[in-house]
Amino acid sequence: MRSSLTLVGTLWAFLSLVTAVASSTSYFLPYWLFGSQLGKQVSFSTFRRCNYPVRGEGHSLIMVEECGRYASFSSIPSLAWQMCTVVTGAGCALLLLVALAAVLGCCMEELISRMTGRCMGAAQFVGGLLISSGCALYPLGWNSPEIMQTCGNVSNQFQLGTCRLGWAYYCAGGGAAAAMLICTWLSCFAGRNPKPVMLVESIMRNTKSYAMELDYYLKP
């Protein structure tokens, strides 16, 4: 089974898969921000949360210790987090598509040329840029009432208060940076240049196919 990628291209495919999986996994896990409420640890991502208060008997607040997503898009605590959810999700989807195509390029001949690899690298740069933009938007939502209750009522935009950033936030940002800088550069050398003989054979094969189709339709 001949690959359409060079040795550098194989490394690019592997790193593309790693960065895409790292960023996408971090996007879905609710461990971007850690705080505490009613003596229990609370964690958030952009659209998910672990542990939340509900009214119990006698109208007292009790903590439900489980993880889940917000009931609707409008229930996400702030507009900044809503924008972050959309932008980061789009970036992760783009990185996953490129990674899938890169992995297929390891198994299929003539799938990724030098120019195709560079175009895919440009797509990775855009995907990484979208995720980075989402990470930059995330602190703008720290002044919402729900987050302030978790961060000691002293948090504000770009001020964590008593909260701290989680490992998933750093993992998403690191995956985006690697996709933008390393994968984009490696993609320039990922695809093989088509050999002249192979190019001529491809042209002849396509020409013969078109001639047969034309002959078929012109028959009385």
Side-chain angles (χ1 to χ4, degrees):
M1 185 181 298
R2 183 175 171 83
S3 170
S4 61
L5 299 177
T6 61
L7 184 60
V8 174
T10 304
L11 176 61
W12 166 70
F14 173 74
L15 290 179
S16 297
L17 183 62
V18 170
T19 55
V21 170
S23 297
S24 301
T25 302
S26 302
Y27 173 65
F28 283 101
L29 291 177
Y31 304 124
W32 285 41
L33 184 69
F34 287 96
S36 62
Q37 193 172 359
L38 299 179
K40 301 290 185 180
Q41 180 174 276
V42 179
S43 60
F44 298 89
S45 64
T46 60
F47 64 98
R48 300 188 71 202
R49 171 176 179 158
C50 283
N51 304 341
Y52 54 91
V54 296
R55 292 285 181 184
E57 295 181 1
H59 301 288
S60 60
L61 288 175
I62 59 173
M63 292 296 290
V64 177
E65 300 185 45
E66 64 180 21
C67 298
R69 63 179 179 82
Y70 289 99
S72 64
F73 185 76
S74 59
S75 299
I76 296 175
S78 67
L79 177 61
W81 281 22
Q82 292 173 357
M83 294 171 60
C84 180
T85 299
V86 174
V87 170
T88 307
C92 289
L94 195 54
L95 290 188
L96 284 172
L97 286 174
V98 173
L100 177 61
V103 171
L104 288 176
C106 295
C107 310
M108 300 176 63
E109 189 177 0
E110 298 184 30
L111 178 64
I112 299 177
S113 64
R114 184 63 60 88
M115 182 58 66
T116 304
R118 290 173 179 174
C119 292
M120 292 169 68
Q124 284 181 307
F125 185 86
V126 174
L129 186 62
L130 288 172
I131 297 173
S132 300
S133 300
C135 291
L137 286 169
Y138 193 65
L140 295 176
W142 294 347
N143 62 344
S144 66
E146 184 174 336
I147 307 305
M148 292 182 68
Q149 291 171 6
T150 306
C151 300
N153 290 313
V154 291
S155 66
N156 205 337
Q157 292 182 348
F158 297 97
Q159 296 179 9
L160 279 170
T162 59
C163 291
R164 59 183 175 86
L165 287 174
W167 60 267
Y169 178 83
Y170 293 111
C171 190
M180 290 176 63
L181 301 177
I182 302 176
C183 292
T184 300
W185 178 66
L186 290 177
S187 69
C188 297
F189 315 100
R192 298 180 184 275
N193 284 323
K195 295 180 179 180
V197 175
M198 294 175 60
L199 187 60
V200 171
E201 288 179 352
S202 177
I203 294 173
M204 293 294 293
R205 187 164 54 249
N206 291 335
T207 303
K208 184 178 180 181
S209 176
Y210 294 147
M212 292 177 62
E213 290 182 8
L214 183 63
D215 183 63
Y216 174 80
Y217 287 113
L218 290 179
K219 282 183 179 179

